[in-house]
Amino acid sequence: MARDLRGNLDMTDSDDFMQTMELREHLVREVAREVEDGRVLAALRAVPRHRFVPEHTFDAAYTDRPLPIGFGATISQPTVVGMMSEALELDGTERILEIGTGSGYQTAVLSLLAAEVDTIEVIPELAGRARKILSDIHCRNVHVHVGDGWKGLPERAPFDRIVVTAAPDHLPEELVDELAEGGLLVVPVGPQTRDQRLERHRKLRGELVREDLGAVRFVPMVHTRAHVR
Ligand code: SAH
């Protein structure tokens, strides 16, 4: 069932694609220290990360580091994107909900690994920018929503996988409700100032089974007062 990754991102004609080939290979070797899943590594190799960080050089864009993208947000570190994607155990058939679109980089990686991705970003400017880039690189199985991730997307639930790339201070109940039976929720939980842990929850017979995947550091998942949707 696994789909051909390259089939989704139509970039083979692009000069940038050829120019950044070596940098991509180097980056994938770095990520492969922590990530084994071959499909995840192939997706990281395929996504043109430099498109998501336009003000940086190719070298900076393909370094295994998070980078600022404005509005207090960061594009995630490729190794972290790889680890989270691997933790989602994707085979290409899943519908994913992502909270915290940011640059859209992780969204693009997920779009190559799953059937469909809905992603929610609270900052309209970031959502707009991500939507444009994802469309430019022909990511067609992605829907970018401006909204509050705490609420999820009830009208599109249930989701086979939910991944959160900002840190809530507690597990959002709405997201648990929107997770399908047998589904996985990967989320960094904890306040910014103290320890955040990456948690994976599996929904089995309606109950959550929790696993601790280690220490992480994400921007906080904000509580919005404004009705953004
Ligand atoms: N994975 C992204 C990085 C996300 S940074 C990437 O690769 O680029 C975290 C993002 O979560 C930020 O863009 C921030 O604006 C967003 N965010 C924070 N709180 C949110 C909320 N309540 N709902 C939706 N998005 C939120």
Side-chain angles (χ1 to χ4, degrees), residues 73-76 100 102-103 106 121-123 126 148-149 165 219 221-222:
T74 53
I75 180 171
S76 302
S103 67
Q106 173 144 10
E121 171 56 53
V122 75
I123 299 173
L126 286 177
D148 181 5
T165 74
V219 302
M221 185 156 144
V222 298

Side-chain angles (χ1 to χ4, degrees), residues 5-45:
L5 296 179
R6 291 285 294 280
N8 252 358
L9 285 187
D10 179 19
M11 304 175 308
T12 40
D13 294 341
S14 137
D15 288 347
D16 287 354
F17 187 80
M18 298 310 292
Q19 273 187 46
T20 57
M21 197 84 98
E22 235 173 81
L23 292 168
R24 286 154 195 265
E25 287 302 333
H26 180 76
L27 179 62
V28 168
R29 279 198 297 278
E30 293 269 306
V31 177
R33 294 177 184 176
E34 304 288 338
V35 173
E36 280 177 30
D37 188 327
R39 290 183 73 238
V40 171
L41 295 173
L44 286 164
R45 187 180 288 112

Side-chain angles (χ1 to χ4, degrees), residues 2-3 37 39-40 81-82 84-96 106 109-117 160-163 184 200:
R3 55 170 65 199
D37 188 327
R39 290 183 73 238
V40 171
V81 172
M84 290 179 93
S85 303
E86 184 168 61
L88 290 169
E89 299 182 351
L90 301 168
D91 70 9
T93 60
E94 299 83 1
R95 285 185 60 234
I96 305 184
Q106 173 144 10
V109 172
L110 293 173
S111 80
L112 296 180
L113 297 169
E116 202 172 9
V117 185
D160 305 309
R161 301 289 187 267
I162 300 180
V163 59
L184 291 171
R200 176 164 66 179

